[in-house]
Amino acid sequence: MTCVRPDNPASSDAARPIAVFDSGLGGLTVVRRILDRMPGEDVVYLGDSARVPYGIKSPETVREFALQDAAFLMQFDPKLLVVACNTASAVAIEALRENIPVPVVGVVEPAARQAATLAGDGDIGVIGTEGTIDSGAHAAALSRLGVQGEILAAAAPLLVPIVEEGRAQDDPIVLSVLTDYLHELQRKRAAVLILGCTHYPLLMRAIAKLMGPETVLLDPGAATAEAVADVLGELGLNSNRPSGTLRCHSTDNPQRFARVARRFLGRDVGDVIRVGTDELVAVRHKGVTS
Amino acid sequence: MTCVRPDNPASSDAARPIAVFDSGLGGLTVVRRILDRMPGEDVVYLGDSARVPYGIKSPETVREFALQDAAFLMQFDPKLLVVACNTASAVAIEALRENIPVPVVGVVEPAARQAATLAGDGDIGVIGTEGTIDSGAHAAALSRLGVQGEILAAAAPLLVPIVEEGRAQDDPIVLSVLTDYLHELQRKRAAVLILGCTHYPLLMRAIAKLMGPETVLLDPGAATAEAVADVLGELGLNSNRPSGTLRCHSTDNPQRFARVARRFLGRDVGDVIRVGTDELVAVRHKGVTS
């Protein structure tokens, strides 16, 4: 169960895929940006829909799940691993870097870098899951970058289920929940608001309306795709093919995954392969192999 | 790893514990009713907080998780298994009965029996997770009981995260979400409303206010405790001790479990033991033993 590319065993390092995981479907918003930026790359994706969400769970559990997800993806011999989940990026990035023998790019650090550039001396807001906000990962990354403005973080636990439920952005419930979470950020007129969860870009229009034109909304997907391009460029690992493939795996309900994926990815996702969480546990216990 | 009662190997069958599992903490509302009704019973509880919620996941995944949860609890040599989770009761009760060598009591059938008695010729409403409502389990159980009135079922996906977030029952967001889900049931003046998820009794006051005095709200916990008492009585397995013990396990974050449990159980839960989901997978793969 090591490298799964028997059809092309002589492939160069640059032809190896980019591996991406998330707690569910939301990470496809990051895949979308990667494919827009680097259409020649192959992407292999794992969504852990059977154990979603990660954002309400303890750092220890999220780290263990993230290591299992990564161990599964390492079987595809990727050249780089993207942690598309904000919660896993916030609490598991170090554990992943210690255990995974390829570069690991999360969504928190690229978002923080872009926010620092955009905000100047202004304040920076972050909304995310409980796990992401409690970790303080964005604040720590912004502080390492020497950001001077105030950092305003707010957990927004109902937004993921609201997006999953498929409510319209002008639904009164959506607007009242957003108002509840954002009123402090509105009042303080944050210069930048980091949408610190892959589901939130799907509420971009409603959030923009509430925050007004003074606040730049930052979807970490684009910054993350840029960070991936930078790392591949430095390592000379950019694919030179005209187009790549996307191969999706889900730990639950591949049909539902395929159906809902279009909202996140902006295109059809093709066939989705089901992988049981017991298989993830088994691969992890065998050890991470590349 | 079979019977874990080495301190009391000669214990009679009646002294064996009642095993209870749920996707998380909510099942403690059922445990509360069991302890009120049968204070002499020992209860061993497993909350699968690492993989919560079950209500948004496929029937196949919920069945597999339920079989793992049950396999773990069978190690305590219980005399009876209670499925306190409505979603697992709705989609996994048959698989559990086929695989578990002790009586299995779910929360759907007792609730349906009580609703049928209370409703007379009136309509019966059910609210629950997507998984519970999509399964049609309540409607099927009510139909088997020959219920004549209309059965009105509504999925209410935001209520679990709202309860988990700890919002007050008079929070305007709670009231507007409830109004959104309940307006059809209000309009049709259901005689009984089954609260088909263990979290919903924590919103009882707000739901009662919206539904008005004509609708009886049915918390399945009491009916389930009665069904457990009936089965134990028929088998002559009632404990005759004055008081029993409660032993709780959680697959995530035992400290948080112990802290929040009080809201569901109405009393302190004591020390909570953490069990990794990888241990559940391992026990299940070794086979269900009693």
Side-chain angles (χ1 to χ4, degrees):
Chain A
M1 295 282 279
T2 347
C3 168
V4 179
R5 292 176 63 87
D7 52 333
N8 192 9
S11 63
S12 78
D13 281 352
R16 288 155 61 200
I18 297 170
V20 183
F21 79 85
D22 178 45
S23 56
L25 283 153
L28 292 173
T29 58
V30 179
V31 171
R32 179 181 195 158
R33 300 300 194 137
I34 290 173
L35 295 178
D36 287 349
R37 176 71 181 71
M38 294 161 281
E41 299 292 346
D42 287 343
V43 172
V44 55
Y45 183 90
L46 173 65
D48 191 8
S49 308
R51 302 185 295 197
V52 77
Y54 286 4
I56 58 171
K57 290 157 195 176
S58 70
E60 296 73 26
T61 290
V62 173
R63 270 195 284 275
E64 175 57 28
F65 288 173
L67 288 167
Q68 289 173 17
D69 299 338
F72 171 78
L73 288 169
M74 288 310 292
Q75 298 177 116
F76 296 89
D77 189 27
K79 57 187 173 187
L80 184 141
L81 176 69
V82 179
V83 186
C85 172
N86 280 266
T87 308
S89 295
V91 304
I93 200 91
E94 284 170 29
L96 287 164
R97 285 185 176 142
E98 280 165 19
N99 283 275
I100 302 295
V102 298
V104 179
V105 176
V107 288
V108 169
E109 290 155 346
R113 272 197 300 276
Q114 194 181 2
T117 307
L118 291 169
D121 297 335
D123 297 339
I124 297 175
V126 190
I127 49 173
T129 66
E130 282 174 278
T132 298
I133 299 305
D134 288 352
S135 77
H138 287 91
L142 290 165
S143 158
R144 283 195 298 273
L145 293 163
V147 162
Q148 298 297 315
E150 198 180 347
I151 297 160
L152 311 156
L158 292 181
L159 299 187
V160 169
I162 278 176
V163 170
E164 297 264 341
E165 202 184 11
R167 283 187 186 267
Q169 295 197 54
D170 57 358
D171 183 315
I173 288 171
V174 175
L175 296 176
S176 61
V177 170
L178 283 173
T179 304
D180 192 48
Y181 291 137
L182 296 176
H183 66 90
E184 186 69 12
L185 289 157
Q186 278 177 305
R187 199 179 60 77
K188 296 220 175 174
R189 296 172 183 257
V192 176
L193 175 60
I194 299 174
L195 306 181
C197 173
T198 50
H199 280 62
Y200 302 169
L202 277 78
L203 297 173
M204 182 83 92
R205 200 156 29 86
I207 295 171
K209 194 170 154 187
L210 286 170
M211 293 302 295
E214 286 173 47
T215 302
V216 178
L217 303 189
L218 196 166
D219 167 6
T224 304
E226 210 53 53
V228 169
D230 288 349
V231 174
L232 293 181
E234 282 164 24
L235 299 171
L237 288 178
N238 297 104
S239 163
N240 50 15
R241 287 165 308 181
S243 69
T245 58
L246 171 62
R247 177 175 178 162
C248 286
H249 305 79
S250 169
T251 52
D252 190 25
N253 212 335
Q255 293 78 21
R256 179 175 182 273
F257 186 101
R259 198 171 61 242
V260 183
R262 205 183 162 76
R263 282 173 56 210
F264 290 87
L265 191 67
R267 69 193 83 175
D268 278 337
V269 75
D271 288 340
V272 177
I273 301 154
R274 187 177 191 281
V275 187
T277 49
D278 47 356
E279 186 177 336
L280 301 191
V281 170
V283 174
R284 159 100 168 110
H285 283 196
K286 269 193 283 182
V288 176
T289 53
S290 66
Chain B
M1 295 283 276
T2 347
C3 167
V4 180
R5 292 173 62 86
D7 51 331
N8 192 9
S11 62
S12 77
D13 280 353
R16 288 155 63 201
I18 297 170
V20 183
F21 79 85
D22 179 45
S23 57
L25 283 154
L28 291 173
T29 57
V30 179
V31 170
R32 178 180 194 158
R33 299 303 193 136
I34 291 173
L35 295 177
D36 287 348
R37 176 72 180 71
M38 293 162 281
E41 299 290 345
D42 286 344
V43 172
V44 54
Y45 183 90
L46 173 65
D48 191 8
S49 308
R51 303 186 293 197
V52 77
Y54 285 4
I56 58 171
K57 289 155 195 178
S58 71
E60 295 73 27
T61 290
V62 174
R63 270 195 285 275
E64 175 57 29
F65 288 173
L67 288 167
Q68 289 173 17
D69 299 338
F72 172 77
L73 287 170
M74 288 311 291
Q75 297 177 117
F76 296 89
D77 189 28
K79 56 187 174 186
L80 184 141
L81 175 70
V82 178
V83 186
C85 172
N86 281 266
T87 307
S89 296
V91 305
I93 200 94
E94 284 170 30
L96 288 163
R97 286 184 176 142
E98 280 164 20
N99 284 275
I100 301 296
V102 297
V104 179
V105 176
V107 287
V108 169
E109 290 156 345
R113 272 197 299 276
Q114 194 181 1
T117 305
L118 291 169
D121 296 336
D123 297 340
I124 297 174
V126 190
I127 51 173
T129 66
E130 282 174 279
T132 298
I133 299 304
D134 288 353
S135 76
H138 287 91
L142 290 166
S143 159
R144 283 196 297 274
L145 294 163
V147 162
Q148 298 296 313
E150 198 179 347
I151 297 160
L152 310 157
L158 292 181
L159 298 189
V160 169
I162 278 176
V163 170
E164 296 264 342
E165 202 183 11
R167 281 187 188 266
Q169 295 197 53
D170 57 358
D171 183 316
I173 287 171
V174 175
L175 296 176
S176 61
V177 169
L178 282 174
T179 304
D180 193 47
Y181 291 138
L182 297 176
H183 65 90
E184 187 68 12
L185 288 157
Q186 278 178 306
R187 202 180 57 78
K188 295 218 174 175
R189 297 170 184 258
V192 175
L193 175 60
I194 299 174
L195 306 181
C197 173
T198 50
H199 281 62
Y200 302 170
L202 277 77
L203 298 173
M204 182 83 92
R205 203 156 26 87
I207 296 171
K209 194 170 155 189
L210 286 170
M211 294 302 294
E214 287 173 46
T215 302
V216 177
L217 302 190
L218 196 166
D219 166 6
T224 303
E226 212 52 53
V228 169
D230 288 349
V231 173
L232 293 182
E234 282 165 25
L235 298 172
L237 289 177
N238 296 103
S239 162
N240 50 15
R241 287 165 307 181
S243 68
T245 59
L246 170 62
R247 178 176 175 158
C248 286
H249 305 79
S250 169
T251 53
D252 189 25
N253 212 336
Q255 293 78 19
R256 179 176 182 274
F257 186 103
R259 199 171 58 243
V260 184
R262 206 184 160 76
R263 282 173 56 211
F264 289 88
L265 191 66
R267 68 192 84 177
D268 276 338
V269 76
D271 286 340
V272 177
I273 301 155
R274 188 177 191 278
V275 186
T277 50
D278 48 355
E279 185 178 336
L280 301 191
V281 171
V283 174
R284 160 104 167 107
H285 282 196
K286 270 193 278 181
V288 176
T289 53
S290 66

